[in-house]
Amino acid sequence: MEEERVFFEALCEALERIVGSLDHEEVMRSIVESTVKAVGSKACSLRLLDHRRRKLIFGCSVGLSEGYIRKGPVLIEESPLDREALGGKTVYLENAQTDPRFQYPEKAKQEGIFSVLVAPLTAGGVSVGVLRIYSGEVRRFDEDEMRFLEAMARLSGLALENAKMHQTLRGDFELLVADRYRVDEN
């Protein structure tokens, strides 16, 4: 019961911050902070697909070192874990240091990462990235933790898509105003 309350409070906190901001960076920071706090994990990261859908671009993280974040590109072709998650499944790795689906097992070892849980970020039914939680020990995530991560990932996909649309509309509006100003000057 207490665990459900923590998850509910974390979802509400994230939703409150997400709805209150249309800034990509702020939205992503809120998501990873709320997720790591609720699950009590070592770290959390959010990565987004590039426009060619070939690699995952770093979005935001909490609890990971700069060295780990800059370990190299996460290439979909070389990451069975991410291919599986982007296919719409939540994926659990008991030990990222030894699981062949993890692209950088040596870096996981250096960072002290063991268990990993990954959920797809979706917007409009299409995968747009992944949300990951990392554990500093071998850990079995329970059903509630998995459902919480999936809910945060869905919420994240929608929030990021809304922020992106807002930025596009804002840019279009600014161009329209600038064009109108030029017409009025003539």
Side-chain angles (χ1 to χ4, degrees):
M1 186 66 167
E2 182 62 30
E3 187 176 85
E4 287 176 6
R5 182 179 159 157
V6 169
F7 291 154
F8 178 74
E9 287 173 0
L11 275 172
C12 287
E13 179 182 311
L15 187 56
E16 191 174 276
R17 284 199 236 160
I18 289 167
V19 169
S21 174
L22 291 172
D23 177 289
H24 266 86
E25 299 297 320
E26 193 175 321
V27 168
M28 288 187 290
R29 167 78 36 209
S30 174
I31 290 161
V32 296
E33 286 175 353
S34 296
T35 301
V36 79
K37 180 180 167 186
V39 178
S41 60
K42 172 184 176 63
C44 180
S45 71
L46 186 150
R47 288 185 173 266
L48 300 171
L49 269 173
D50 73 329
H51 69 281
R52 294 164 69 195
R53 301 183 66 83
R54 292 189 180 160
K55 62 183 172 181
L56 287 165
I57 307 296
F58 176 78
C60 192
S61 74
V62 65
L64 296 173
S65 70
E66 279 298 313
Y68 186 79
I69 291 167
R70 301 188 190 288
K71 67 188 172 300
V74 178
L75 304 172
I76 305 306
E77 182 179 298
E78 296 177 24
S79 179
L81 167 68
D82 293 306
R83 278 198 310 274
E84 202 172 334
L86 291 167
K89 291 176 61 178
T90 298
V91 184
Y92 164 74
L93 298 182
E94 182 176 28
N95 190 341
Q97 298 176 16
T98 59
D99 194 308
R101 295 175 292 171
F102 200 76
Q103 187 178 350
Y104 293 101
E106 274 306 310
K107 296 293 183 181
K109 190 175 206 170
Q110 291 170 4
E111 188 73 9
I113 293 170
F114 288 90
S115 299
V116 178
L117 187 62
V118 185
L121 295 179
T122 57
V126 176
S127 292
V128 296
V130 296
L131 184 61
R132 296 182 186 178
I133 51 177
Y134 307 87
S135 178
E137 67 278 333
V138 173
R139 173 178 173 181
R140 187 77 185 156
F141 296 98
D142 65 32
E143 187 66 30
D144 288 338
E145 290 168 322
M146 292 174 107
R147 286 182 29 229
F148 172 76
L149 187 67
E150 291 165 351
M152 284 298 280
R154 284 193 307 273
L155 179 62
S156 302
L158 292 171
L160 290 169
E161 195 62 27
N162 284 344
K164 183 178 170 183
M165 282 192 293
H166 174 74
Q167 287 177 337
T168 300
L169 288 172
R170 185 176 177 178
D172 289 349
F173 177 75
E174 289 171 0
L175 285 173
L176 182 64
V177 168
D179 285 346
R180 182 170 200 127
Y181 178 74
R182 280 192 289 269
V183 168
D184 289 345
E185 282 184 338
N186 295 329

